[in-house]
Amino acid sequence: MSDVKRVYLDHAATTPVRPEVLDVMLPVFGRQYGNPSSFYRSGQEARRLVDQARQSVAACLHADPREIYFTSGGTESDNWAIKGTAAALGGKGRHIVTSRIEHHAVLHSCDALARQGYEITAVEVDADGLVSPEAVRAALRPDTILVSIMMANNEIGTIQPIREIGAICREHKVLFHTDAVQAAGALPIDVGDLNVDLLSISGHKFYAPKGVGVLYIRRGVRIANLLDGGAQESNRRAGTENVPGIVALARALELAVAEMPATAQLQSRLRDQLIEDVMSRIPHTRLNGHPTRRLPNNVNFSFEFIEGESILLMLDHFGYACSSGSACTSGSLDPSHVLLAIGLPHEIAHGSLRVTLGHSTQAEDLRRLTADLEQIVARLRAMSPLYEEKTQAGL
Amino acid sequence: MQYSEKVMDHFMNPRNVGEIENADASGTVGNAKCGDIMKVTLKIENGVVVDAKFKTFGCGSAIATSSMATEMIKGKTLDEALRLTNKAVAEALDGLPPIKMHCSLLAEQAVKSALQEYFIKNNLLTDENRHFFDKLDEDAHDAG
Ligand SMILES: Cc1ncc(COP(=O)(O)O)c(C=O)c1O
């Protein structure tokens, strides 16, 4: 079946580089290849590109250009924010608050600190995946040095009350980091309005290439460096700048911000139609994540009695690229920590399917997906001993 | 996940799906918590497995190995069926990714569990054949 139409529905994993972004980025590889730290003209030309990109990113986030630091991606930004704060403020306190549903870049950074004697409180979320600001407040202690709560979740799309959590942190004079990797380009971000001190974004989630990101660090906030070396990024992040990536990230973010109202409206309409169609046509299905407070492009279902990898494999066979939180796709024994944190029993978490829309997504693709999914779920249920038990029990 | 063409064939067109009514033996292994359950039912006549069917909740390789394992014991004598190994199931599928080898063990266990029920019911267990059921005590997820 190599002749089926390929439909990419995994935009939360990564996105293609869009043509307008390639246009500004490609010349930087071949013609404008100078090192921004070099004295001569081509170096200064590269410096100008990086400076412009920094201004543009700052404008998109309502920040000052001096608060924008380019990194190698979301993972580095998260590591830097958390480990850098811990190293800078470890003398003041050793307690960090986060949530159960953070990306592993945050959770595993916290684990690494826990091994060095820091204490981590991961607050629970409700059944829709929401972190309650009051739960964050209750977790704060006199020795808390950092709160890290993601802006929007990569699996279930739930959008957190960042502004409210930020206000609580400010009131208690605790630094607040948000992983906005899934939010950037999809939701408006105003760092002042959101009360954040540190914010991570990653280019490849909004049609820039992989391997470039940003850490926003509020003016006056001191965190330790993660990478030591040259004087790049105002002595705070060493390493020759990824100039093509930086130029691309800035352009992609500008475009995403300019198009945001239209994209959000279009995608949330497609999203809601897909949810409605699938829920009405396929019984024993649940929607994971918040019904309304969710990313415009995120849909996450659990189909009872069947397992996620087998759904993905059949979907792949029919041309669709999606993802799942089942253990079999993660290479571990446990299904996704996010699905377990919202209270799903293991067997239902194993049966999850994430569909994330993007620029290329057409209503027609989703109509076909719904029809194919209906058949796939029926086929797999016909093979499942769990389904048989339930149907015999009259459920 | 890179699966062989054989695995994909047995996944997309599984053989022997279902449940034999009035089966002579049945075995269920695995659990929903870990994401895989296999149920095998057998029809046995004159010491020969004349039919085998399966129902599986699990990933692609769990379904493919169930399909292959039931295929491999159909028409075999009990003695031959007892000698089914997870390695043979995996080889017949042109191999499985290393992290999926546990699926083949689960398939072996499902078959062995059904056979064990039959052997116990019909007083066929002896000191000579008892060891064929040792694998039932292994945790499939420890298989690499
Ligand atoms: C919420 C979240 N944080 C962090 C990351 C890591 O970003 P990157 O792939 O740029 O390292 C991702 C994406 O994988 C993500 O979805």
Side-chain angles (χ1 to χ4, degrees):
Chain A
M1 279 247 211
S2 51
D3 54 342
V4 296
K5 181 182 174 201
R6 306 300 306 176
V7 179
Y8 183 76
L9 291 168
D10 200 14
H11 293 84
T14 196
T15 57
V17 177
R18 56 190 289 182
E20 306 93 314
V21 169
L22 267 183
D23 281 348
V24 297
M25 163 184 174
L26 285 179
V28 187
F29 284 102
R31 269 190 286 124
Q32 300 164 294
Y33 58 84
N35 183 327
S37 301
S38 297
F39 164 80
Y40 40 80
R41 204 166 298 178
S42 69
Q44 291 318 298
E45 172 68 5
R47 158 74 40 225
R48 197 179 53 79
L49 292 175
V50 172
D51 287 345
Q52 277 175 357
R54 197 184 313 282
Q55 280 174 17
S56 156
V57 170
C60 289
L61 304 179
H62 301 272
D64 185 292
R66 288 167 295 182
E67 299 175 313
I68 301 301
Y69 296 87
F70 292 109
T71 68
S72 66
T75 299
E76 183 189 329
S77 296
D78 286 346
N79 271 263
W80 185 14
I82 292 166
K83 294 175 182 172
T85 300
L89 302 182
K92 216 179 117 209
R94 306 196 122 224
H95 179 239
I96 294 171
V97 175
T98 184
S99 86
R100 292 266 312 274
I101 63 166
E102 298 299 310
H103 190 270
H104 282 145
V106 167
L107 289 181
H108 290 171
S109 291
C110 289
D111 289 347
L113 290 173
R115 287 191 292 274
Q116 297 170 27
Y118 288 81
E119 284 181 72
I120 314 296
T121 301
V123 298
E124 301 287 336
V125 297
D126 71 10
D128 294 326
L130 273 181
V131 173
S132 130
E134 288 314 310
V136 172
R137 186 196 296 279
L140 293 177
R141 311 193 314 209
D143 60 340
T144 306
I145 51 173
L146 177 70
V147 172
S148 179
I149 304 286
M150 71 201 319
M151 189 160 170
N153 184 267
N154 46 307
E155 291 187 41
I156 56 175
T158 300
I159 300 166
Q160 302 300 345
I162 292 303
R163 185 187 300 110
E164 290 78 3
I165 295 170
I168 290 170
C169 294
R170 195 137 297 168
E171 192 186 310
H172 288 81
K173 300 192 168 51
V174 174
L175 288 185
F176 180 39
H177 167 245
T178 191
D179 173 341
V181 168
Q182 291 290 335
L187 304 174
I189 296 179
D190 178 330
V191 289
D193 181 51
L194 289 176
N195 301 314
V196 296
D197 300 301
L198 300 152
L199 178 139
S200 307
I201 75 177
S202 173
H204 73 106
K205 308 294 185 178
F206 49 87
Y207 305 87
K210 295 148 190 70
V212 61
V214 167
L215 182 63
Y216 157 83
I217 309 178
R218 178 179 297 284
R219 292 269 285 165
V221 169
R222 290 278 135 220
I223 67 172
N225 293 353
L226 198 61
L227 297 183
D228 296 310
Q232 293 88 357
E233 301 295 287
S234 314
N235 278 312
R236 295 179 86 171
R237 197 279 185 186
T240 300
E241 297 86 342
N242 171 5
V243 185
I246 288 169
V247 166
L249 180 145
R251 183 77 187 119
L253 191 59
E254 273 167 24
L255 290 166
V257 168
E259 297 164 0
M260 195 179 288
T263 311
Q265 196 190 30
L266 181 70
Q267 290 188 350
S268 50
R269 228 184 5 239
L270 290 172
R271 172 197 70 189
D272 293 341
Q273 190 65 51
L274 177 64
I275 293 172
E276 192 187 313
D277 290 349
V278 168
M279 301 289 288
S280 65
R281 284 170 65 170
I282 307 181
H284 307 293
T285 300
R286 59 163 281 160
L287 177 70
N288 298 316
H290 197 281
T292 55
R293 279 189 70 114
R294 71 188 302 141
L295 287 171
N297 77 336
N298 175 288
V299 178
N300 189 310
F301 297 116
S302 278
F303 300 104
E304 288 184 59
F305 321 120
I306 58 178
E307 193 278 335
E309 193 222 60
S310 54
I311 305 173
L312 290 190
L313 207 54
M314 278 205 190
L315 282 172
D316 185 36
H317 189 82
F318 289 111
Y320 305 96
C322 302
S323 89
S324 168
S326 96
C328 272
T329 56
S330 69
S332 78
L333 284 190
D334 286 321
S336 132
H337 65 284
V338 175
L339 299 178
L340 296 180
I342 60 171
L344 294 195
H346 277 67
E347 58 271 31
I348 297 189
H350 283 301
S352 77
L353 175 73
R354 180 185 74 178
V355 180
T356 45
L357 321 181
H359 291 170
S360 60
T361 309
Q362 307 284 320
E364 178 53 28
D365 296 333
L366 299 180
R367 274 195 292 274
R368 278 204 311 123
L369 172 72
T370 307
D372 287 334
L373 205 49
E374 193 177 2
Q375 285 198 24
I376 287 169
V377 170
R379 267 171 81 171
L380 290 170
R381 281 183 177 162
M383 285 185 227
S384 170
L386 297 176
Y387 189 53
E388 158 199 12
E389 272 172 34
K390 287 287 164 177
T391 45
Q392 280 177 3
L395 282 170
Chain B
M1 187 63 61
Q2 200 51 52
Y3 285 131
S4 70
E5 272 179 37
K6 275 254 177 71
V7 172
M8 281 310 291
D9 176 37
H10 276 262
F11 170 67
M12 291 304 297
N13 311 292
R15 333 293 198 258
N16 313 314
V17 175
E19 194 167 349
I20 298 172
E21 276 187 49
N22 306 315
D24 297 299
S26 86
T28 302
V29 295
N31 66 65
K33 194 164 182 258
C34 295
D36 32 32
I37 300 181
M38 292 182 194
K39 177 174 186 181
V40 165
T41 48
L42 303 175
K43 184 104 203 121
I44 296 168
E45 283 170 9
N46 305 320
V48 174
V49 179
V50 294
D51 199 8
K53 288 201 183 300
F54 80 89
K55 284 222 163 171
T56 291
F57 161 78
C59 62
S61 59
I63 288 168
T65 53
S66 312
S67 165
M68 182 53 91
T70 47
E71 200 64 357
M72 286 170 78
I73 58 166
K74 260 174 44 174
K76 297 284 160 63
T77 64
L78 287 175
D79 199 48
E80 289 165 334
L82 272 182
R83 286 164 210 277
L84 179 81
T85 65
N86 71 312
K87 275 217 175 67
V89 173
E91 274 163 23
L93 288 167
D94 292 338
L96 287 173
I99 60 162
K100 296 294 184 174
M101 282 305 287
H102 74 87
C103 293
S104 63
L105 180 54
L106 208 63
E108 177 190 334
Q109 287 178 327
V111 166
K112 294 265 168 87
S113 161
L115 288 172
Q116 187 184 43
E117 186 194 273
Y118 187 81
F119 274 59
I120 292 172
K121 215 161 50 185
N122 295 282
N123 272 321
L124 296 173
L125 267 187
T126 64
D127 286 342
E128 279 70 55
N129 64 28
R130 210 177 297 277
H131 71 275
F132 285 113
F133 301 107
D134 287 352
K135 279 251 192 91
L136 283 173
D137 300 327
E138 281 179 30
D139 181 349
H141 286 108
D142 293 339

